Amino acid sequence: MIHIDYRDSKPIYEQIADGFENLIGRGVIEKDSQLPSVRLLAMELSINPNTIQKAYSELLSRGMTYSVKGKGIFVASQKESFKERKLSELFDKMRKLILEATASGISGDEILSVLVNVQKTIREGA
Amino acid sequence: MIHIDYRDSKPIYEQIADGFENLIGRGVIEKDSQLPSVRLLAMELSINPNTIQKAYSELLSRGMTYSVKGKGIFVASQKESFKERKLSELFDKMRKLILEATASGISGDEILSVLVNVQKTIREGA
Amino acid sequence: MIHIDYRDSKPIYEQIADGFENLIGRGVIEKDSQLPSVRLLAMELSINPNTIQKAYSELLSRGMTYSVKGKGIFVASQKESFKERKLSELFDKMRKLILEATASGISGDEILSVLVNVQKTIREGA
Amino acid sequence: MIHIDYRDSKPIYEQIADGFENLIGRGVIEKDSQLPSVRLLAMELSINPNTIQKAYSELLSRGMTYSVKGKGIFVASQKESFKERKLSELFDKMRKLILEATASGISGDEILSVLVNVQKTIREGA
DNA sequence: GTGGTCTAGACCACG
DNA sequence: GTGGTCTAGACCACT
């Protein structure tokens, strides 16, 4: 369900949180359904329970889930569209990337060309 | 000459190294010209000399500079084109960004549209 | 595992980095296995943890290892053959040595003769 | 007469001392002839007089020269043959290089092969 | 004065 | 527990 890459510089707890956010946002996990318990997921992924706990706290603070004492953690109803939020995130990250590139003397056309190349390689790789 | 943002998660020594790499790569600092001394820059930026030293070591291992004991640190001649390297970096980061976005269900056309929007806002901001 | 010579002009952190590079390159330490922790090795060698950290950073930038925060430092898969790289290094150092010798008026045949003598004494010493 | 490479890791005073040792050893500068004064050489090479002074001290301690107060520094008669000494130096450096290479798993034949290749490239380059 | 190495001790994020 | 960053202060070789 969730894939962990230990070599990724992104911390494990964030990889887990992002993974669930994706599954929830894309509707793979439905609203009000229960997430696996901390202990269970920790065993399944062979990961320290503290790390799972941190990932779940992250999801909670992002408003993706709600917790019921003694019962577990459940998927919250999504206020704003998941895709909308992701598009907004993409916009911010893309903007930062482009500002950096521009500061290094790369032109707008060159950036566009890089984007097209990337998309091409991804299509070919798929 | 170099601007430090203490709130940035990017470590100080890397901000400094990146800053100089940019100045050197864009030709603002010429080949064989001397960089400010470790102690001087440390005083100017109110930063520990060891941190400056680490930034300069980073530049050295990136091949951007060469050092002469007792004399100072100087800008090396750039073997590989700076821009070429930056374009390659941009490609990698862009690829990662797009893969993430795609995993969230964003289409290639939508990504392109975001890019165009970003470029538009940057042009207007400038 | 690692031997330090304090009288050697080669800095300690480099002796450590070179030592591990050798162990890794020769396959003594296997891929994805964990290196001793910074603090542990510091205690074992009676060396300041910062110096160990610097040695490990060096290995990281050489691409010999990858680090996972909170978990440890691990041996990376070797892209370019270790031996290939070492042969290239040997070539460069040998070239420099021979150029110096030639500048002192030593002939090519004399250099070859010295090499044979050295190899002889090493075999006898072993 | 003497060539300085500021990028070389070898300190300048040593480059100067080695340069004179070479000229003296190969008979380019004759016995009992006078070396240029510290001030003169400093001006010619655009180098700090302290550095020249250190180079001359080095030559003195190597027994290559003798100094006469108020007159200057002169080339001493060479006790042991210059070439003999250089061969001995070459032997030591070569031995160290080969021991390092052997520790990295490079065989004696491979070392010989590298040597031959180096000599080949030098001949071709000349 | 210059760069480079090392020690000591602190703080942070992560697991 | 782990690695990583930063500060403070010392010493060294070299110019």
Side-chain angles (χ1 to χ4, degrees):
Chain A
M1 211 155 178
I2 300 286
H3 178 253
I4 303 299
D5 177 7
Y6 283 98
R7 299 208 187 184
D8 196 335
S9 64
K10 185 194 282 187
I12 293 176
Y13 84 94
E14 214 172 313
Q15 291 186 41
I16 297 172
D18 287 354
F20 274 112
E21 182 169 340
N22 233 304
L23 293 172
I24 293 171
R26 283 164 45 213
V28 180
I29 307 183
E30 287 181 4
K31 187 192 159 195
D32 292 321
S33 66
Q34 188 174 356
L35 261 53
S37 80
V38 170
R39 288 180 194 175
L40 180 65
L41 190 58
M43 280 189 53
E44 274 186 3
L45 299 179
S46 305
I47 278 180
N48 191 310
N50 285 334
T51 306
I52 307 291
Q53 186 61 54
K54 194 161 185 179
Y56 278 3
S57 301
E58 180 71 20
L59 283 171
L60 206 65
S61 76
R62 286 187 197 172
M64 303 295 297
T65 57
Y66 62 92
S67 73
V68 180
K69 267 187 188 168
K71 292 202 70 176
I73 292 174
F74 301 86
V75 175
S77 60
Q78 303 305 315
K79 289 178 255 175
E80 65 170 324
S81 149
F82 171 73
K83 198 169 173 182
E84 220 170 282
R85 204 147 29 79
K86 279 300 170 188
L87 276 172
S88 160
E89 265 183 35
L90 177 61
F91 185 90
D92 291 341
K93 287 182 186 170
M94 185 86 80
R95 183 184 162 80
K96 198 180 162 192
L97 198 58
I98 290 173
L99 282 176
E100 272 181 20
T102 306
S104 299
I106 298 177
S107 75
D109 286 348
E110 285 170 320
I111 291 169
L112 183 60
S113 149
V114 167
L115 174 69
V116 172
N117 275 330
V118 170
Q119 292 187 322
K120 201 172 144 198
T121 64
I122 289 176
R123 264 200 305 279
E124 285 169 358
Chain B
M1 211 156 179
I2 298 287
H3 178 254
I4 303 299
D5 178 5
Y6 285 96
R7 296 175 310 178
D8 194 336
S9 65
K10 185 195 280 188
I12 296 174
Y13 81 92
E14 215 172 314
Q15 291 186 42
I16 297 172
D18 287 352
F20 275 111
E21 180 169 339
N22 235 302
L23 292 173
I24 293 171
R26 285 164 46 213
V28 179
I29 308 183
E30 286 182 7
K31 187 192 157 193
D32 290 321
S33 66
Q34 188 172 359
L35 262 53
S37 85
V38 171
R39 291 160 174 85
L40 179 66
L41 189 59
M43 279 189 54
E44 276 186 0
L45 300 179
S46 303
I47 281 177
N48 188 294
N50 276 331
T51 304
I52 307 291
Q53 181 70 44
K54 193 168 182 179
Y56 279 2
S57 298
E58 181 71 22
L59 283 171
L60 201 68
S61 76
R62 286 185 198 173
M64 304 295 296
T65 57
Y66 63 92
S67 78
V68 181
K69 263 190 190 171
K71 290 207 76 178
I73 291 175
F74 303 86
V75 175
S77 59
Q78 303 305 317
K79 290 176 263 180
E80 187 189 358
S81 153
F82 173 74
K83 200 169 174 181
E84 217 171 288
R85 206 146 30 81
K86 278 300 172 188
L87 277 172
S88 161
E89 267 182 34
L90 176 63
F91 184 90
D92 291 340
K93 287 182 187 171
M94 186 84 85
R95 183 184 162 81
K96 200 179 165 192
L97 197 59
I98 289 173
L99 282 176
E100 272 181 20
T102 306
S104 299
I106 298 177
S107 75
D109 286 347
E110 284 170 320
I111 291 170
L112 184 58
S113 147
V114 167
L115 175 68
V116 172
N117 275 332
V118 170
Q119 292 188 323
K120 201 171 144 198
T121 64
I122 289 176
R123 264 200 304 278
E124 283 168 359
Chain C
M1 211 156 178
I2 297 286
H3 177 254
I4 304 298
D5 178 5
Y6 285 95
R7 297 176 309 179
D8 195 336
S9 67
K10 185 194 280 189
I12 296 175
Y13 81 92
E14 215 172 311
Q15 291 186 42
I16 296 172
D18 288 353
F20 275 110
E21 180 170 338
N22 235 302
L23 291 173
I24 293 170
R26 284 164 46 211
V28 179
I29 307 183
E30 286 181 7
K31 188 193 157 192
D32 290 321
S33 66
Q34 189 172 0
L35 262 54
S37 85
V38 171
R39 290 160 174 85
L40 179 66
L41 190 59
M43 281 189 53
E44 276 185 0
L45 299 179
S46 304
I47 282 177
N48 188 293
N50 276 332
T51 304
I52 307 291
Q53 181 71 44
K54 194 168 182 180
Y56 279 2
S57 297
E58 181 70 22
L59 283 171
L60 200 70
S61 77
R62 287 185 198 174
M64 305 294 297
T65 57
Y66 62 92
S67 79
V68 182
K69 261 191 192 172
K71 292 207 75 176
I73 291 175
F74 304 85
V75 175
S77 59
Q78 303 305 317
K79 290 176 261 180
E80 188 189 356
S81 154
F82 173 74
K83 199 169 175 180
E84 217 171 287
R85 206 145 31 80
K86 278 299 172 191
L87 277 172
S88 160
E89 267 181 35
L90 176 62
F91 185 91
D92 291 341
K93 288 181 186 171
M94 186 84 85
R95 183 185 162 79
K96 198 178 164 191
L97 197 59
I98 289 172
L99 282 176
E100 272 181 21
T102 306
S104 301
I106 298 176
S107 76
D109 286 348
E110 284 170 320
I111 291 169
L112 184 60
S113 147
V114 168
L115 175 69
V116 173
N117 275 332
V118 170
Q119 291 188 323
K120 201 171 144 197
T121 63
I122 289 176
R123 265 200 303 276
E124 285 168 358
Chain D
M1 210 156 177
I2 299 285
H3 179 254
I4 303 299
D5 178 6
Y6 282 99
R7 299 207 187 184
D8 195 335
S9 64
K10 186 194 281 188
I12 293 176
Y13 82 94
E14 214 173 314
Q15 291 185 41
I16 297 173
D18 288 353
F20 275 111
E21 182 170 339
N22 231 304
L23 293 172
I24 294 171
R26 283 163 45 213
V28 179
I29 308 183
E30 286 181 6
K31 188 191 160 196
D32 292 321
S33 66
Q34 187 174 358
L35 261 52
S37 80
V38 170
R39 288 177 193 176
L40 180 65
L41 190 58
M43 280 189 53
E44 274 186 3
L45 300 179
S46 304
I47 278 179
N48 191 312
N50 285 334
T51 305
I52 307 291
Q53 185 61 53
K54 194 161 184 179
Y56 278 4
S57 300
E58 180 71 20
L59 283 170
L60 206 66
S61 75
R62 286 186 197 172
M64 304 294 297
T65 56
Y66 62 92
S67 73
V68 181
K69 266 188 188 168
K71 293 202 69 177
I73 291 173
F74 301 86
V75 176
S77 60
Q78 303 305 314
K79 288 178 256 178
E80 65 171 321
S81 149
F82 172 73
K83 199 169 173 182
E84 218 170 284
R85 203 145 32 78
K86 278 299 169 189
L87 276 172
S88 160
E89 266 182 34
L90 176 62
F91 185 89
D92 291 341
K93 288 181 185 171
M94 185 87 81
R95 182 184 163 80
K96 198 179 163 193
L97 197 58
I98 289 173
L99 282 176
E100 271 181 22
T102 306
S104 300
I106 298 177
S107 74
D109 286 349
E110 285 171 319
I111 292 169
L112 184 60
S113 149
V114 167
L115 174 68
V116 172
N117 275 331
V118 170
Q119 291 187 324
K120 202 172 144 198
T121 63
I122 289 176
R123 264 200 304 277
E124 284 168 359

